[in-house]
Amino acid sequence: MFYWKIISVMRGLGYKFFLVNGFFLLFFISCKKEMLPISEGTERAADQQLKDSIFHYYKLYSLWSDNIMSEDKALFSFTDSYASPVDLLTALKRTTPFHAGYNASIDRFSYLEDISKIGSSPDDIEVNRGFGLFVSLGAVNENFAYPIIYYAEGGSSAAQSGIRRSDVILGIDDDQDFSVPVSCESGSCKFTDEKIRQAVVNKLLAAMQQSSMRIKVRHTDGNESTKSISSTPYEVNPIIKNKVFLYPAKAIGYLALSSFEAVPEGKANRSRLNQVFDDFEQNQIRDLIFDLRYNTGGHVSTVEYMANKIIGATADRALMYKYILNTYLSQPNNLPGESFDDVNFQRRNNLNLSTVYFLVTDVTASASELLINVLRPYMNVVIIAEHNGTYGKPVGFFRQEIMGKKGLWVASFKLTNARNQTDYWDGIGGDQRNVRDYIFRDFGDAEEDMLSAALNHSLGKAGSSARASARSDRGQAVKMTRIENVNIVSQGYMRR
């Protein structure tokens, strides 16, 4: 099973068992356990064997294995020079080529997980734990900023309670003071008291460690409500919002997806997505807007499913993607039961799309980038970016279990599209850049900046407000000013 995901240890300010790094093509395999060759008569303690094995497998699987020293008698002195497995892995990653784009070694992706705590079964990857809340700070007027919910993950207690993007947090439990003073001028705001800002952030982070909370929010219609939510395990519903915008000239589909969860036959996620695309076909949409602004990745098989639901008739059976492998993985049967064969499109739709729009931010990564990349050779793709483009994760890996203690994920291969485009280490650039991610309007609101930009482009109305008869209702939103570059509370959301 192939999987591609950005690591998210505290995703949504709650613990998420999607422990996957970077833009990783994580594919779970059951492969023969190889024992590290140890010289006869050599005795190594368990912690030494663990570090020796990390070196061995990193050398075996790394896409840049030629840069790594050989396994000779110097191996033990090298691994013993590092205090911990993490320190050793950090040193190994530093042996990979330097990448100027992020001013570091190119392998910023490989990582270790503690499988003794989360379990060794890949089935854990389908379960998230937490409140499912993603929070920023934004100015609600010229004097004060408050925590703003910019995303409540589907399936979570927060989402089920009715909390949604654009809700303003007024209080948590008995604490009703979450305001932060700001000074605003010409539409730009700054914090005026850093101590108060940090105190509010600390209170939010502390609240997210609780097992439950009562959260008071103000909705965009001005009404206030108090919700009781719990930090519990939940199965993700990745569909944030879907609708069809009906204009006189054309119908435009919209789908906001939080992650590329597995879509096996007979399961809820596949059924939900089939219904979405059935609705698109029934309304004969001509353009599709794919909102991936917070989508950090998921299963490659789901990317294939999505691509086959979008691709046009002329590209049916054409190449979707192929692998670029390291030397070891290029040899047949080194990973029994796994295939690195080319993958071709198998069209599963009756759409006739003119353009596919992608709404992205600098956390859009992995499987999201793969979907964009495989469609580019065959379709008119337009990328609307909050900043410059996507995150940049063109490598994949799989988990190697070591001694029942650690799971080692080594960046081992790349996927390339039909044009051999693969080296987007610094992200896939946007066609329209610096388009504000306006968190004060809900997903699917035609007046939200990023969605509006896509609608306007589709309708040929640059700079105008897109209005339509939408198939799902939306509330009235109050326009507020967003504080840029200082607003991410969920500091553990993405590890780089």
Side-chain angles (χ1 to χ4, degrees), residues 21-24 64 93 102 106-111 391-395 397 409 411 425:
N21 197 357
F23 138 97
F24 310 138
W64 305 278
K93 291 194 292 184
Y102 39 81
I106 200 165
D107 185 5
R108 57 175 175 171
F109 315 119
S110 300
Y111 83 107
Y391 182 69
K393 287 289 186 298
V395 291
F397 59 7
W409 303 86
W425 302 102

Side-chain angles (χ1 to χ4, degrees), residues 234-273:
Y234 60 91
E235 183 177 344
V236 175
N237 176 359
I239 301 175
I240 302 172
K241 183 69 69 71
N242 64 280
K243 60 172 34 173
V244 175
F245 293 95
L246 300 175
Y247 295 94
K250 65 172 74 171
I252 303 172
Y254 172 81
L255 173 60
L257 200 71
S258 66
S259 56
F260 288 85
E261 303 294 321
V263 288
E265 290 284 356
K267 298 298 183 180
N269 284 337
R270 192 180 190 93
S271 176
R272 294 184 188 113
L273 287 168

Side-chain angles (χ1 to χ4, degrees), residues 464-485:
S464 63
S465 177
R467 299 182 182 274
S469 171
R471 298 191 70 252
S472 58
D473 294 332
R474 61 181 177 87
Q476 297 298 314
V478 178
K479 188 174 180 63
M480 294 177 277
T481 303
R482 180 176 178 185
I483 298 177
E484 301 290 350
N485 303 322

Side-chain angles (χ1 to χ4, degrees), residues 247 249-250 252 287 357 454-462 466-468:
Y247 295 94
K250 65 172 74 171
I252 303 172
D287 292 340
Y357 294 86
L455 290 171
N456 289 335
H457 188 281
S458 175
L459 298 170
K461 298 180 179 180
R467 299 182 182 274

